[in-house]
Structures are given as structure tokens and as C-alpha cells.
Amino acid sequence: MKLGVQLSAVAFAIAVFAGDVSADANTQDLKPALKVSEKINESAINSQKKIDQISESINAKVQRFKAINKETDGLNIYNKQLQKQIDNQLAELSQLDVSIDQVSVIERQITPLMLRMVDGLQQFVALDVPFLLAEREDRVANLQQLLERADVEVSEKFRRVLEAYQVEMDYGRTIEAYTGLLTVDGKERDVEFLRLGRVALIYQTRDGAESGRWDQSTKSWSKLSSEHRIQIAKGLRMARKQLAPDMLMLPINAAL
């Protein structure tokens, strides 16, 4: 019985030893697999990092692409607007070219017109009621000299001619008082002139003793009676703005 017990104990010990040896052997077999697994995990982690980096890069490029596309669309719209402006400017340039070509034609036509206008103005002053005669004749003479000058633009010449015509037009609707010399009965007298538009040109000596009016039908001065003295004095004061406008009872030429 003791021998059997001993044999059983030895067999158990051998089994235990054999199990330990087998476990150690299995452990040694798993180590390479574990190392491979660790390497695979590390590789997977690195791969995932690269994938994340690539994804972030792609997203950034996509956003940049969208921004560039949006900017490109805006530039295309802007370019189209600029092209419209350029087309309009080119059209205006074409019109300007046509206008420039016409300017020379207009200048050739307007110069004879201005000459005729000044000649007509000269004749009008000569035939008109002789108020401010020296001033008006000087204006016409200055215009004639102006038209001969090469250093003055045609536009300025035309403006001056129109200005002279405007002055003559204004004479017809204004009242004016001025002083001057007038030959009366062979004597040169210092008188006051009263102009009522172009319907009446009247003079009165400084002392008020003598007065007269221009008779356009006879192209001469005719004396007025003393009964007009007060009205003439009143008209002179009105023309100088010393008296409010009022009705005047003075003789005029019906034909004027």
C-alpha cells in the first residue's frame, strides 16, 4: 500500500511538472504572436493618424476650393460690369470722334455767321435811338477786333457776340438815367438823359429850363414844353431808384 501511495505521489508530481512545462511552452509560443499584434496595433494607430491628417488636409483644400470658386464668381460678375462700362465708354468715344469731326465743320459755318451778326448789330445801332451811342459803337468795334484774333477760341467769340445781343435786348425793357453832352442850338450843353426802353429818349438841362426828346421819324431832337419838366424830373429819379416806380406822362413815338 505504501508503494502504491508513493507511486501515485510521484505520478502526480510528474503530471504537475509536465503541466508547468506545457504552460511555459505555450507562453513562449504566444510571445511572437503578441509582438506581431502590438506591431499591427501600432501600424493601425499610425495609419489612422495619417488618415486623419489626410482628411483634414482634404477638408481644408475643399474649403479653399469653395472660397476660390466664390471669389471667382464675384470676379466674373465684376468683369462683366466693367466690360459694360468699357463698351459704353467706347461708344462715347465713337460719338466724341464724330462730334470732333463735326466741330471743324461747325467752326467753318459759325465764323461767317458771327461776322453777319456783328455787321447786323452795327447797322442796328446806327439806325436805333441814339442812346449811349459811343458805348454801343465801341462794343461793336471791340467785337470786330475780337473776331480777327487767332488766340481766342471760337466758343468765346460766339459767347461775346451773344452777350452783346443780350445787352441790346435788355435796353428795350429797362429805364435808365445818365449824363452826357448834347449840342442844342449850336451849343454843347451838359444834360441829363432819360431812356424809357426804346420808346422814348428825353434830355433835360441841369437847371431844368430846357428839355426835348428824340424823334425817330425825323432822326432829330425836338424841344418839349415846360409842362413836361416835372414828369421828366420824376422819371430821372425813378431811373436812379430814388423814387418808387410810378406812371409817367411823357410823349413818345407811336412808331417805336
Side-chain angles (χ1 to χ4, degrees):
M1 289 297 294
K2 289 182 179 180
L3 180 60
V5 172
Q6 292 177 347
L7 289 173
S8 297
V10 169
F12 177 75
I14 292 171
V16 170
F17 177 77
D20 291 339
V21 171
S22 176
D24 290 339
N26 290 334
T27 300
Q28 294 296 325
D29 292 339
L30 289 174
K31 284 182 177 179
L34 291 174
K35 290 181 178 180
V36 172
S37 177
E38 290 176 356
K39 289 181 179 181
I40 291 173
N41 288 336
E42 291 177 359
S43 177
I45 291 171
N46 292 331
S47 297
Q48 186 62 43
K49 289 180 179 179
K50 290 181 179 179
I51 291 171
D52 292 341
Q53 292 175 352
I54 293 171
S55 178
E56 290 177 358
S57 177
I58 291 173
N59 287 334
K61 291 180 178 179
V62 168
Q63 295 301 322
R64 179 61 178 166
F65 177 74
K66 290 180 179 179
I68 291 174
N69 276 344
K70 186 176 180 180
E71 185 177 355
T72 301
D73 292 339
L75 289 174
N76 287 333
I77 295 173
Y78 180 67
N79 287 336
K80 288 180 181 179
Q81 185 65 28
L82 285 181
Q83 187 60 49
K84 290 180 180 179
Q85 294 178 2
I86 291 172
D87 292 340
N88 290 334
Q89 289 175 349
L90 290 175
E92 290 178 1
L93 285 175
S94 298
Q95 293 177 356
L96 286 175
D97 289 337
V98 174
S99 299
I100 290 172
D101 293 337
Q102 292 177 347
V103 165
S104 58
V105 177
I106 293 174
E107 286 185 355
R108 290 195 297 269
Q109 294 176 349
I110 200 170
T111 299
L113 172 63
M114 289 189 294
L115 290 171
R116 292 193 299 271
M117 290 176 70
V118 173
D119 289 341
L121 188 61
Q122 183 180 29
Q123 294 176 16
F124 178 78
V125 171
L127 297 173
D128 195 21
V129 177
F131 59 87
L132 300 174
L133 192 57
E135 176 183 324
R136 296 163 71 195
E137 289 176 344
D138 287 343
R139 185 181 297 114
V140 173
N142 290 334
L143 284 176
Q144 291 171 335
Q145 294 176 4
L146 180 69
L147 294 183
E148 296 175 357
R149 291 176 56 179
D151 59 333
V152 179
E153 295 291 336
V154 174
S155 58
E156 175 62 15
K157 293 177 181 179
F158 191 65
R159 186 190 69 80
R160 295 281 295 275
V161 172
L162 291 181
E163 186 180 72
Y165 268 79
Q166 185 63 51
V167 171
E168 289 293 333
M169 288 178 59
D170 291 340
Y171 285 143
R173 54 174 176 261
T174 57
I175 179 173
E176 182 180 16
Y178 63 95
T179 61
L181 298 176
L182 180 65
T183 301
V184 180
D185 296 331
K187 296 181 180 180
E188 193 171 62
R189 305 285 298 274
D190 186 10
V191 300
E192 293 181 304
F193 290 99
L194 173 63
R195 178 183 61 80
L196 303 173
R198 281 190 166 86
V199 297
L201 179 61
I202 298 170
Y203 77 87
Q204 188 174 69
T205 57
R206 292 298 184 120
D207 57 6
E210 186 177 338
S211 59
R213 70 178 181 90
W214 177 258
D215 189 339
Q216 184 68 357
S217 61
T218 62
K219 301 293 183 180
S220 62
W221 293 97
S222 60
K223 291 184 179 182
L224 293 175
S225 62
S226 59
E227 63 179 296
H228 299 293
R229 176 179 177 180
I230 296 177
Q231 289 294 311
I232 294 173
K234 181 180 177 181
L236 289 170
R237 292 182 63 194
M238 289 171 54
R240 295 190 180 101
K241 302 187 186 309
Q242 298 172 349
L243 189 67
D246 196 2
M247 182 179 295
L248 293 173
M249 301 297 292
L250 290 171
I252 61 174
N253 272 329
L256 291 180

